[in-house]
Amino acid sequence: MALLDDCTVLAVDTETTGMHPAQGARLVEVAHVRVVNGVLADEWSTLVNPACPIPPDATRVHGIRDDMVADAPRMGEVARTLRDALGDTPLVFHNAPFDLPFLAHLFREGGVPPMTNPILDTLGLARGLFGASGNRLGELGAKLGLPSETAHRALGDTRTTARVFLELAVRWEREKGVRSILELAAVSQDVVRTTSRR
């Protein structure tokens, strides 16, 4: 499909100690998978030492414990590595409004430039095609017949996000006439905004 020809994006996912960095929640894991011309390519992930205890409720979601991150790189080191990798490549998230504040905080703490990358959100793309419900990442993976990955771990969720993106991008091109990654980014965010609970 023309939309994915000569196209590179990075799918990104995070795992955290809580819901909001403004309330003290921090990253504990981050990953990205590069997608080149419609094919998953190189991938990277790291645990992150959040310099605070991981609450039991968070561990129940992702399985990451304090002892697992004790020797992990701290936020400043991860910020520099990740920011270099992202460059100005379009980024793909599932529910970007959750991940973006954590990445913005990470980059501020690490003293690196903020992101200005185009953002694509597979949640918006899914809602625009399938309606407002049933669009959790795992549900989409099953609905689209994608390979099973380890859920609620950054690398597994990033692989699933990348594959969901590829499936949905083709459908948006075929069914909705979208012709560019930037157009797809815009519509994905528009749908998230207009379908989010107030």
Side-chain angles (χ1 to χ4, degrees):
M1 288 291 204
L3 179 63
L4 296 175
D5 289 348
D6 298 318
C7 166
T8 298
V9 300
L10 273 174
V12 182
D13 186 69
T14 64
E15 301 299 333
T16 69
T17 65
M19 298 300 290
H20 304 288
Q23 297 173 2
R26 297 292 177 260
L27 285 179
V28 294
E29 190 174 41
V30 62
H32 63 70
V33 173
R34 191 174 305 275
V35 181
V36 181
N37 302 335
V39 178
L40 275 63
D42 58 292
E43 54 187 40
W44 170 88
S45 69
T46 185
L47 291 166
V48 183
N49 186 329
C52 66
I54 302 173
D57 286 351
T59 297
R60 277 192 286 275
V61 173
H62 47 55
I64 300 170
R65 306 180 309 272
D66 290 333
D67 62 295
M68 295 168 63
V69 298
D71 296 322
R74 295 201 173 248
M75 290 183 30
E77 180 183 344
V78 173
R80 291 186 291 276
T81 301
L82 181 60
R83 189 67 192 87
D84 286 346
L86 299 185
D88 58 3
T89 305
L91 306 179
V92 181
F93 296 87
H94 188 77
N95 192 19
F98 176 81
D99 298 279
L100 289 175
F102 283 97
L103 294 178
H105 178 266
L106 175 72
F107 295 145
R108 277 195 307 273
E109 289 289 302
V112 299
M115 293 181 299
T116 57
N117 310 55
I119 302 296
L120 299 108
D121 196 327
T122 53
L123 179 60
L125 297 179
R127 287 177 177 173
L129 292 170
F130 307 132
S133 62
N135 296 312
R136 291 181 179 166
L137 189 58
E139 292 172 322
L140 286 172
K143 184 186 299 186
L144 296 169
L146 301 178
S148 180
E149 296 283 353
T150 303
H152 302 299
R153 290 299 301 266
L155 187 55
D157 282 352
T158 302
R159 290 175 181 148
T160 300
T161 298
R163 293 181 179 123
V164 166
F165 164 73
L166 292 174
E167 293 285 333
L168 298 184
V170 168
R171 292 184 186 213
W172 273 88
E173 181 178 27
R174 184 177 64 234
E175 299 171 21
K176 307 275 190 178
V178 169
R179 291 288 176 261
S180 74
I181 290 298
L182 292 180
E183 185 182 356
L184 197 62
V187 298
S188 75
Q189 293 184 60
D190 285 346
V191 174
V192 168
R193 277 193 295 269
T194 58
T195 57
S196 293
R197 295 183 182 92
R198 299 297 177 206

